Amino acid sequence: MSLVKWDPFRELEEVSDRLNRLFGRPLARRGEEAMAVADWAPAVDISETDAAYLIKAELPEVNKDDVKVSLEGGMLTLQGERRQEKEEKDTRYHRIERAYGSFLRSFQLPDNVDPAKVAAEFKDGVLAVTLPKTERSEPKTRRIEVS
């Protein structure tokens, strides 16, 4: 029997990985996906201009046909799947860090988004969803007489 040197940092990394897998699975909150569990969540950037909001999601090695974008009740949902390559018998993997399987991200949209003009484009592994703003009418001030 050989002695193995104890590495506390390796154990901390393993615990961290387990916690990330445990808590890193977002649940869907609406409709049919209420029980869906995602295997991973793509990183997103959300930006805003005077005319629109823009959500960009990184989806490397995801096919366009495997991506679904939906808008229901003010909730934008991005979902799909990244399929794992077939494992070759001659290949030995030393480490697999990329996540595979289904993904799901949902975003509550602000009231000033025009749902009829939402558009999505998938290019070079990035999904870009443009959410045009509506003309926001300023609330009118009205004096109420007290009787």
Side-chain angles (χ1 to χ4, degrees), residues 80-146:
E81 183 176 2
R82 178 166 46 205
R83 302 179 195 285
Q84 190 168 11
E85 305 167 1
K86 291 183 179 178
E87 190 172 323
E88 299 175 16
K89 293 181 180 181
D90 299 347
T91 305
R92 290 185 303 272
Y93 289 93
H94 295 280
R95 177 171 260 186
I96 296 177
E97 292 185 350
R98 296 182 299 161
Y100 295 95
S102 62
F103 66 86
L104 179 70
R105 293 291 304 262
S106 294
F107 305 93
Q108 183 68 45
L109 300 181
D111 293 334
N112 65 335
V113 169
D114 186 353
K117 295 182 181 177
V118 173
E121 179 185 17
F122 189 78
K123 183 179 178 185
D124 298 330
V126 176
L127 175 66
V129 181
T130 305
L131 307 155
K133 294 180 181 179
T134 59
E135 292 293 324
R136 189 182 263 181
S137 60
E138 294 296 322
K140 296 179 180 179
T141 304
R142 185 177 130 208
R143 184 179 171 133
I144 309 294
E145 293 295 325
V146 179

